[in-house]
Amino acid sequence: MLVLDVPPRVIDESDHHVIGTWRRIVFTIWRRETTTRGIRGMQEAVRGARADGGLLAMTVVTDQAPMPPSEVRDQLARAMASFEGDVVSSALVFEGTGFRAAAVRSVVSGISLVRKMPYPHRVFDRAESGLMFLRDAGQLDPRLDFPIAGALDALDMLRYREPPSGLSFGT
């Protein structure tokens, strides 16, 4: 683990999610269900972290998180579309292996094609791949450069935080 020059900042957290920022990255980690509160927290994080040159959005969905109902997916898609002008690229990582994980990634990729985001957005199976996409998306101001190892450490610091209720979730 690297020693980060700046630790990630937690914006909102519950048993279902943790949302935080590090440098120009807004991280949303769905531990369990995708909730309206979490979507509002994500919007707050983007508003609060607005930056010259734009933000990078990294969403991680653990293998314990179910597919959200259609109305929550619609709300999430509207929120992400509203980030136009603030977010320059977005990566969604659905962790896990096997048929279920591959099926969910396919569904999410299909939704992404139908509901086109106003910035580059792709789906990945590993956080490292998603971070490389964010770094290399081509629209970044050189001041937004970040080390992949540092971003992974920041993500892990957020991901492995103890949920507020004291429950423990794997990834």
Side-chain angles (χ1 to χ4, degrees), residues 4-146:
L4 297 177
D5 55 345
V6 177
R9 185 170 82 97
V10 175
I11 305 299
D12 189 40
E13 183 175 23
S14 77
D15 291 348
H16 295 284
H17 67 270
V18 62
I19 298 161
T21 60
W22 181 72
R23 293 191 182 190
R24 303 277 195 223
I25 305 172
V26 174
F27 290 106
T28 302
I29 301 154
W30 297 109
R31 294 171 165 157
R32 293 261 170 145
E33 293 180 26
T34 304
T35 63
T36 298
R37 174 184 163 182
I39 294 169
R40 283 193 310 265
M42 185 175 63
Q43 291 172 303
E44 177 186 324
V46 168
R47 281 192 304 270
R50 284 184 173 142
D52 290 335
L55 298 169
L56 309 171
M58 170 71 128
T59 302
V60 176
V61 181
T62 69
D63 59 359
Q64 296 180 356
M67 185 67 107
S70 63
E71 62 274 5
V72 176
R73 286 195 308 267
D74 289 342
Q75 183 182 7
L76 184 59
R78 284 191 306 274
M80 291 182 67
S82 76
F83 299 154
E84 183 173 14
D86 292 320
V87 170
V88 295
S89 61
S90 169
L92 178 114
V93 177
F94 187 85
E95 299 179 324
T97 59
F99 177 76
R100 178 182 178 273
V104 170
R105 279 190 290 275
S106 291
V107 168
V108 172
S109 292
I111 291 169
S112 297
L113 289 173
V114 172
R115 293 187 178 142
K116 199 79 168 141
M117 292 295 124
Y119 41 80
H121 173 79
R122 288 199 32 210
V123 178
F124 298 91
D125 63 348
R126 293 179 34 242
E128 185 174 9
S129 300
L131 287 165
M132 287 190 296
F133 167 75
L134 293 178
R135 185 194 63 196
D136 299 336
Q139 297 184 28
L140 299 182
D141 182 304
R143 295 173 292 163
L144 300 181
D145 189 39
F146 62 88

